[in-house]
């Protein structure tokens, strides 16, 4: 099988650090076959040496042919050159196939993991921070389904007939609340220096793969379009990641910060992203999680109805292949009586950029050591990519309805959202 694209994988580094790579694969519960990758790499190196040896012999024969030769000697060289050419053609074809096989196997190796990430499954994730305090209710608490039904905000029955189970129509103030969340989030994040985007919602499957997702794997969450090489996006991270694909960015332009609004088509029920340099990606990871924390806290603090939220440093078993480290933000859902994830922020280091071909050129002074006096530009490096969910709208709707419900059946609209809802302060039962 020939890969559609090639990642810039440092095979020598993998071989030199095979023990660390093997441990990382195990900790992340990856099915990558490191032994096969190493075998293929050694085989490729040996085959490359043989190809280079035959090319050298072919060149020697060609040089000898340029001199004055006896007919018998010339004929002998012609036969030798013919045999070398045939052997070289076969080996070069084998080398191409071997490189393709190596590339496909190596692309399954997940990113490295931050040394502070806890090892294990989701229940091994480490509590990083608690935000806010739980609201104390002095009346029976309802879950969002009951609230939505009583306030005429959802229609699951019609959606089930039209689309199937788990789909819904939003109605009345829920629609306004959804739009308010989108516009409030964009406004707040743009204030922090992010460029707003809306993205294509169909992308090539190769771009999905380069971002570290499996559009056609057994456990895929990606909807593929039949008889095409395209997929529906499961997150804005994918088209945002592709916007600088196969390009070189000036160091002075970094970091590039985008906040993108998109629908997310997944086989399970927005992303703010940046591209930056290696030395600073941990710092920008902290910036992203701080933005999320500030956004969610601000919704509750205005009424002293704080969200009880927590931020988790997710364990290795919960990391996707691209993530070097991931923080999840979870909010307490009083109606459901459990925490629910409302956001996450991931640092993918150079895993995605090596696949997408996104580089930057350092702005250090170029050297002019060329014999011809030409200026030699500094060598390019791969950027680091990060992504975070600024606001997962459906989950935030659940969180708001349950946390801001009132004894009379109404739901208070958090103060920051009111300007985006035409000044509406609360959602009341329609019989009121």
């Amino acid at each position: 099988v020939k890969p559609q694209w090639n990642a810039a994988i440092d095979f020598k580094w993998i071989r030199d650090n095979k023990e660390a790579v093997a441990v990382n694969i195990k900790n992340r519960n990856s099915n990558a076959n490191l032994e096969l990758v190493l075998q293929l790499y050694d085989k490729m190196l040996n085959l490359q040496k043989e190809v280079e040896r035959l090319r050298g012999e072919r060149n020697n024969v060609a040089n000898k042919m340029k001199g004055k030769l006896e007919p018998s000697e010339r004929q002998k060289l012609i036969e030798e050159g013919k045999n070398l050419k045939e052997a070289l053609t076969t080996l070069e074809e084998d080398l191409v196939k071997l490189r393709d096989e190596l590339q496909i196997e190596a692309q399954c190796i997940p990113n490295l993991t931050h040394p502070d990430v806890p090892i294990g499954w989701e229940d091994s994730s480490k509590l990083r921070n608690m935000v806010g305090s739980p609201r104390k209710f002095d009346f029976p608490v309802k879950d969002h389904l009951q609230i939505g039904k009583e306030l005429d905000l959802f229609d699951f029955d019609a959606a089930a007939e039209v689309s199937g189970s788990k789909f819904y129509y939003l109605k009345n103030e829920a629609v306004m609340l959804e739009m308010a969340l989108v516009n409030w989030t964009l406004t707040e994040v743009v204030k922090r220096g992010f460029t707003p985007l809306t993205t294509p919602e169909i992308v090539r499957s190769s771009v999905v793969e380069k971002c570290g997702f499996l559009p056609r794997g057994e456990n895929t969450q990606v909807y593929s379009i039949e008889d095409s090489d395209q997929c529906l996006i499961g997150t804005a991270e994918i088209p945002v990641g592709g916007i600088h694909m196969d390009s070189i960015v000036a160091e002075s332009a970094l970091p590039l910060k985008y906040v993108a609004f998109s629908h997310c088509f997944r086989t399970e029920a927005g992303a703010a992203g940046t591209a930056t340099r290696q030395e600073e990606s941990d710092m920008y990871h902290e910036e992203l999680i701080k933005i999320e924390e500030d956004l969610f806290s601000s919704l509750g603090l205005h009424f002293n109805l704080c969200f009880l939220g927590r931020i988790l440093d997710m364990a290795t078993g919960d990391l996707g292949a691209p993530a070097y480290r991931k923080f999840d933000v979870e909010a307490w859902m009083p109606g459901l009586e459990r925490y629910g994830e409302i956001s996450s922020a991931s640092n993918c280091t150079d895993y995605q950029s090596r696949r997408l071909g996104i580089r930057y050129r350092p702005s250090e002074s170029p050297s002019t050591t060329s014999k011809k006096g030409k200026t030699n530009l500094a060598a390019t490096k791969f950027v680091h990519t990060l992504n975070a969910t600024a606001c997962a709208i459906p989950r935030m709707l659940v969180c708001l309805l349950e946390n801001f419900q009132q004894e009379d059946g109404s739901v208070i609209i958090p103060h920051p959202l009111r300007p985006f809802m035409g000044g509406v302060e609360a959602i009341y039962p329609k019989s009121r």
Side-chain angles (χ1 to χ4, degrees):
V1 178
K2 187 174 183 63
Q4 293 182 329
W5 51 276
N6 289 328
I9 298 172
D10 190 339
F11 295 106
K12 183 178 183 300
W13 188 94
I14 292 174
R15 184 187 62 185
D16 294 345
N17 297 272
K18 62 181 181 181
E19 291 183 4
V21 174
V23 170
N24 187 55
I25 289 173
K26 180 182 178 182
N27 289 343
R28 297 175 71 134
N29 197 39
S30 169
N31 59 2
N33 191 336
L34 177 61
E35 287 303 318
L36 178 57
V37 169
L38 295 175
Q39 290 172 14
L40 291 172
Y41 180 55
D42 286 341
K43 189 175 179 180
M44 184 194 73
L45 291 178
N46 291 331
L47 190 55
Q48 280 180 337
K49 290 178 182 178
E50 182 63 15
V51 167
E52 290 167 3
R53 186 186 69 79
L54 289 183
R55 284 173 179 169
E57 289 188 14
R58 182 192 61 185
N59 292 337
N60 287 335
V61 169
N63 289 332
K64 290 178 182 179
M65 293 280 289
K66 295 177 183 178
K68 189 174 181 181
L69 300 169
E70 293 293 328
S72 59
E73 184 66 20
R74 181 173 296 276
Q75 186 60 38
K76 181 180 178 181
L77 289 174
I78 289 174
E79 289 297 322
E80 186 178 354
K82 181 181 178 182
N83 292 335
L84 286 171
K85 181 179 180 181
E86 291 176 353
L88 192 57
T89 298
T90 299
L91 288 184
E92 287 174 337
E93 290 175 353
D94 291 342
L95 184 59
V96 169
K97 292 177 182 178
L98 191 56
R99 284 173 175 164
D100 288 345
E101 186 179 358
L102 174 60
Q103 183 69 214
I104 289 172
E105 291 295 333
Q107 285 173 8
C108 297
I109 296 177
N111 197 1
L112 292 178
T113 306
H114 190 286
D116 292 340
V117 170
I119 297 172
W121 294 99
E122 185 175 355
D123 56 4
S124 299
S125 298
K126 183 170 58 180
L127 181 64
R128 170 184 166 89
N129 193 16
M130 294 291 291
V131 181
S133 57
R135 178 186 171 188
K136 295 180 180 179
F137 292 86
D138 54 8
F139 58 88
V141 176
K142 304 170 186 174
D143 66 23
H144 63 284
L145 294 174
Q146 185 177 354
I147 295 169
K149 182 177 181 180
E150 293 178 358
L151 296 179
D152 196 23
L153 300 178
F154 310 142
D155 190 335
F156 284 92
D157 294 336
E161 293 295 325
V162 171
S163 304
S165 62
K166 298 184 180 180
F167 290 91
Y168 56 86
Y169 286 98
L170 289 183
K171 299 172 62 179
N172 299 314
E173 292 91 345
V175 178
M176 302 301 295
L177 185 54
E178 180 181 59
M179 296 297 105
L181 283 167
V182 171
N183 289 307
W184 169 74
T185 303
L186 286 171
T187 299
E188 290 298 315
V189 178
V190 168
K191 287 179 185 177
R192 291 164 168 83
F194 286 71
T195 300
L197 296 174
T198 57
T199 71
E201 297 190 330
I202 294 177
V203 296
R204 300 183 189 281
S205 59
S206 58
V207 177
V208 179
E209 293 174 1
K210 290 175 183 180
C211 288
F213 299 89
L214 299 174
R216 306 188 192 281
E218 291 182 6
N219 298 317
T220 184
Q221 293 182 330
V222 179
Y223 286 109
S224 297
I225 299 175
E226 192 173 4
D227 298 325
S228 80
D229 68 340
Q230 296 172 313
C231 302
L232 297 174
I233 64 170
T235 166
E237 172 189 345
I238 295 169
V240 172
I243 199 170
H244 294 290
M245 185 168 61
D246 299 323
S247 65
I248 299 174
V249 181
E251 184 178 26
S252 59
L254 297 175
L256 295 167
K257 299 182 178 182
Y258 298 105
V259 53
F261 170 75
S262 76
H263 294 92
C264 296
F265 302 95
R266 299 187 187 183
T267 54
E268 52 109 54
T274 72
T276 187
R277 294 168 293 187
Q278 291 91 321
E279 301 83 3
E280 301 174 347
S281 60
D282 283 342
M283 179 185 74
Y284 286 110
H285 197 194
E286 296 290 339
E287 177 184 332
L288 289 177
I289 198 68
K290 183 64 167 61
I291 290 173
E292 293 176 333
E293 181 180 324
D294 289 347
L295 289 176
F296 302 137
S297 295
S298 71
L299 288 177
L301 288 171
H302 285 272
F303 291 93
N304 295 319
L305 300 175
C306 304
F307 290 136
L308 174 59
R310 64 184 187 182
I311 301 174
L312 301 176
D313 193 348
M314 301 309 293
T316 54
D318 193 63
L319 299 182
Y324 173 66
R325 193 177 196 180
K326 184 177 75 149
F327 300 137
D328 275 8
V329 180
E330 295 184 340
W332 180 253
M333 310 290 188
L336 298 176
E337 297 185 331
R338 62 173 175 82
Y339 283 99
E341 180 192 338
I342 57 173
S343 183
S344 66
S346 298
N347 183 357
C348 298
T349 62
D350 63 355
Y351 186 87
Q352 292 176 324
S353 63
R354 283 181 173 274
R355 301 154 77 92
L356 289 161
I358 309 175
R359 302 169 181 260
Y360 76 95
R361 193 180 299 281
S363 56
E364 60 196 48
S365 299
S367 62
T368 55
T369 56
S370 170
K371 292 182 180 180
K372 296 182 179 180
K374 293 183 179 180
T375 300
N376 293 326
L377 296 174
T380 59
K381 299 180 180 180
F382 291 101
V383 302
H384 280 199
T385 61
L386 300 93
N387 67 83
T389 309
C391 187
I393 304 299
R395 298 172 186 177
M396 279 304 299
L397 289 173
V398 171
C399 193
L400 292 176
L401 292 177
E402 294 194 0
N403 278 280
F404 292 97
Q405 60 182 293
Q406 305 299 304
E407 188 173 8
D408 65 357
S410 65
V411 174
I412 297 292
I413 302 299
H415 192 272
L417 299 179
R418 292 181 185 181
F420 300 96
M421 291 192 65
V424 173
E425 297 182 1
I427 306 172
Y428 295 101
K430 299 300 178 286
S431 59
R432 180 181 172 88

